[in-house]
Amino acid sequence: MTKDGSIMSDRRGLFLELDGHRCLLKWHRGRRFAGDIAFTRQRIAEAMAIGASAEIDLQRYGDDGFVVLHDEDLYPATTGNGPVIAATCAELGRLHLRDRDGSETVHPVLSIEDLAALIRDGETLPEAVLQLDMKVPSSGIRDSDIAAFARAIAPVASSVILSAGDAEAVERLSRAVPDMPIGYDPCHDGAIGRLHASRDFAGFVAGAVAASPRARMIYLEHDLVLFADAEGYDLIGAFHAHDRQVDAYTIREATSTILPKVMRLLALKVDQITTDDPVGLEALVLAGE
């Protein structure tokens, strides 16, 4: 894939820099360009080969383990129908991803074993990181699922980071792969609404740190960061004081209307921005400087 240097020489969509601060651009659902199909083997392999930060989602399926999908239903993202949790590994292996127009593509649905093999057998730079965002709550994860997760991910643990909005799910899975970095998203289960009402930003930070004491990365909805900033509270700085990095998610489109928000996030020294168009967002910031 990279023998001719064509992919390795294309370094677009990796990071932004402002006043000496570097902010990584994370490829949301494995997308590098606007319009990319989510979770394709090719884009994930490309991310690992050029040292990008990328993200995929995990759902539990009918057998032991997880599959790379965001939604709980197979349709419309794939050529299948019905709940993901009812599908067997064999059934998933016959499915393909759909594009944004709903048309079938050649891209297969990936299991967590497929994902691990891609990292293990492909060209993976040391700085490349693949976020595994667990969509299943701890209550829906069986011990046999954890065992399957550990078998797949333990050999590539240094190249991934596990995250979830459920701190218990992260803790249980990470105990089975102790060398794997972890992150935590404290913005779920009504947390944003409660914070808008209470404006107890310090309490929010303290609660997130206590909920996942070993988390290296904290994932925050970008408008929440900017809301706190407008109220005079620096959420990013507060988490930095606890030795946590901060990812601000998700910048959907690289448009002129989003540029002031992105520039403010950069000024606040956010460590990573999640976006569906990393290359477009980089071009937008460079053009606006």
Side-chain angles (χ1 to χ4, degrees), residues 226-246:
L226 297 174
F227 168 71
D229 179 50
E231 293 290 317
Y233 193 90
D234 181 0
L235 277 176
I236 294 171
F239 279 112
H240 283 173
H242 286 280
D243 200 26
R244 305 303 200 271
Q245 292 186 309
V246 174

Side-chain angles (χ1 to χ4, degrees), residues 28 46 71 107 114 122 124-125 133 140 163 168 188 201 203 209 218 255 266 278 280 288-289:
H28 185 226
E46 186 177 313
D71 297 335
H107 302 290
D114 296 328
T124 299
L125 292 185
D133 196 25
S163 67
E168 182 181 353
H188 292 265
F201 301 110
V209 171
I218 299 295
T255 61
L266 293 174
E289 288 183 343

Side-chain angles (χ1 to χ4, degrees), residues 178-201:
D179 295 333
M180 174 182 60
I182 63 173
Y184 175 56
D185 181 350
C187 297
H188 292 265
D189 300 323
I192 292 178
R194 291 192 298 274
L195 190 54
H196 273 262
S198 71
R199 288 168 167 73
D200 181 11
F201 301 110

Side-chain angles (χ1 to χ4, degrees), residues 77-253:
T78 81
T79 52
N81 286 281
V84 175
I85 201 167
T88 66
C89 184
E91 290 167 341
L92 291 168
R94 294 191 289 268
L95 301 182
H96 291 86
L97 299 171
R98 294 185 185 272
D99 64 20
R100 297 175 73 177
D101 297 324
S103 300
E104 181 177 352
T105 72
V106 299
H107 302 290
V109 174
L110 302 177
S111 68
I112 197 168
E113 290 80 12
D114 296 328
L115 193 70
L118 185 156
I119 299 171
R120 183 187 67 241
D121 301 334
E123 299 184 49
T124 299
L125 292 185
E127 62 267 33
V129 177
L130 185 63
Q131 178 190 347
L132 312 177
D133 196 25
M134 180 58 63
K135 297 302 182 185
V136 186
S138 179
S139 59
I141 299 174
R142 305 163 300 188
D143 289 345
S144 56
D145 299 316
I146 294 175
F149 178 90
R151 284 194 299 272
I153 295 302
V156 296
S158 63
S159 296
V160 306
I161 180 170
L162 174 68
S163 67
D166 184 334
E168 182 181 353
V170 171
E171 181 63 25
R172 288 178 63 207
L173 287 158
S174 65
R175 283 200 299 265
V177 189
D179 295 333
M180 174 182 60
I182 63 173
Y184 175 56
D185 181 350
C187 297
H188 292 265
D189 300 323
I192 292 178
R194 291 192 298 274
L195 190 54
H196 273 262
S198 71
R199 288 168 167 73
D200 181 11
F201 301 110
F204 173 78
V205 172
V209 171
S212 188
R214 297 187 296 111
R216 297 185 185 182
M217 182 75 76
I218 299 295
Y219 301 91
L220 300 177
E221 205 281 329
H222 76 272
D223 277 332
L224 181 64
V225 174
L226 297 174
F227 168 71
D229 179 50
E231 293 290 317
Y233 193 90
D234 181 0
L235 277 176
I236 294 171
F239 279 112
H240 283 173
H242 286 280
D243 200 26
R244 305 303 200 271
Q245 292 186 309
V246 174
D247 173 299
Y249 66 85
T250 300
I251 304 299
R252 303 289 179 183
E253 297 179 330

